[in-house]
Amino acid sequence: MKTSHKLLILLTTGFILTGCINQPKPGSPESAALIQQKKEEKVQEANQAQIDALPEWAKIPPESDLAIYGVGSSTHSDMSTARRAAIVKAQAQVAENLDSRLSQSTKVWFDESTFDATGNSDKVEQAIKTVVAETTLRGLKIKEIKFAATGSKVTAYTLIEYPIGDANRALVEQIRKDAALAQEARKNDAFKELEAEVERLKNS
């Protein structure tokens, strides 16, 4: 028993000494490299934790013919501040996506020669900008919100929805403010149908 005990002590001591020997000398290039490696490992762990915390709708935002979606995230020491900042970022994404969607719609409503006529493209672009600006004030709906701890801070994730129908109706109303532009748009059946839908909703 005594021999086994002594052998165990010798082995333990050997492991400790080996560990000490393998430790780089403080201030040496090897020590600096080890410190840098540990820092990088911590950053990787933090990044992986954020990825793991991402909700599925943030990884792959929903797609729909009926709505535009925006995803935003923000990290802050205060939960409510993180939430507000995440919503603002999601709104910005909705605006960007909406601008693209409405631009595609107007290209369908006008033929190329009409659209490129002097001033028409500028008028349509201004109408789109007006509609997109209004989405930051009304019509937006918060679909999802999730919070995750990020070290000593909180990360907020949010998903915002904006009905494409509301945007299309707003764009129709903007185009109708210019009689000549509206007349050209009415040559397209899709625009006439949408215009009729706007009137139906107004009178319902």
Side-chain angles (χ1 to χ4, degrees):
M1 290 293 292
K2 288 183 178 180
T3 303
S4 299
H5 186 65
K6 288 180 179 179
L7 182 59
L8 180 60
I9 291 173
L10 287 172
L11 287 172
T12 304
T13 304
F15 286 135
I16 293 172
L17 290 173
T18 302
C20 292
I21 292 171
N22 291 333
Q23 286 295 319
K25 186 178 179 181
S28 67
E30 292 80 6
S31 177
L34 183 60
I35 291 171
Q36 181 61 32
Q37 181 184 344
K38 289 181 178 179
K39 286 182 179 178
E40 291 175 358
E41 287 173 355
K42 286 184 178 180
V43 170
Q44 288 175 357
E45 288 175 3
N47 289 340
Q48 188 60 50
Q50 283 192 308
I51 292 171
D52 293 340
L54 272 173
E56 285 303 315
W57 45 261
K59 295 176 184 176
I60 306 176
E63 292 185 5
S64 172
D65 292 332
L66 303 177
I68 301 249
Y69 294 93
V71 174
S73 66
S74 179
T75 302
H76 200 274
S77 55
D78 177 68
M79 182 181 291
S80 61
T81 302
R83 179 182 183 276
R84 287 195 300 271
I87 291 173
V88 169
K89 289 182 179 180
Q91 287 176 329
Q93 192 176 90
V94 167
E96 182 180 341
N97 293 340
L98 185 58
D99 188 295
S100 176
R101 182 79 71 92
L102 294 183
S103 295
Q104 292 173 7
S105 296
T106 54
K107 287 178 182 178
V108 172
W109 295 342
F110 299 94
D111 63 42
E112 189 173 344
S113 59
T114 299
F115 190 78
D116 291 337
T118 304
N120 279 352
S121 60
D122 292 338
K123 291 176 183 178
V124 171
E125 185 178 344
Q126 184 56 49
I128 291 172
K129 285 181 178 178
T130 300
V131 172
V132 170
E134 289 178 353
T135 67
T136 62
L137 302 176
R138 57 186 176 85
L140 294 173
K141 181 180 180 181
I142 298 174
K143 293 288 290 181
E144 302 276 358
I145 285 185
K146 180 181 177 182
F147 296 96
T150 308
S152 61
K153 298 183 179 182
V154 174
T155 298
Y157 303 92
T158 185
L159 174 68
I160 283 181
E161 178 186 77
Y162 183 75
I164 189 62
D166 290 352
N168 283 334
R169 286 190 289 273
L171 184 57
V172 166
E173 290 175 354
Q174 286 296 321
I175 288 176
R176 287 168 64 175
K177 290 179 180 179
D178 186 301
L181 199 62
Q183 184 177 357
E184 290 297 333
R186 289 188 184 110
K187 294 177 182 179
N188 182 276
D189 289 338
F191 182 85
K192 287 192 291 185
E193 289 174 7
L194 190 54
E195 190 176 32
E197 176 68 9
V198 170
E199 286 302 312
R200 186 186 68 79
L201 289 173
K202 275 185 178 180
N203 298 325
S204 61

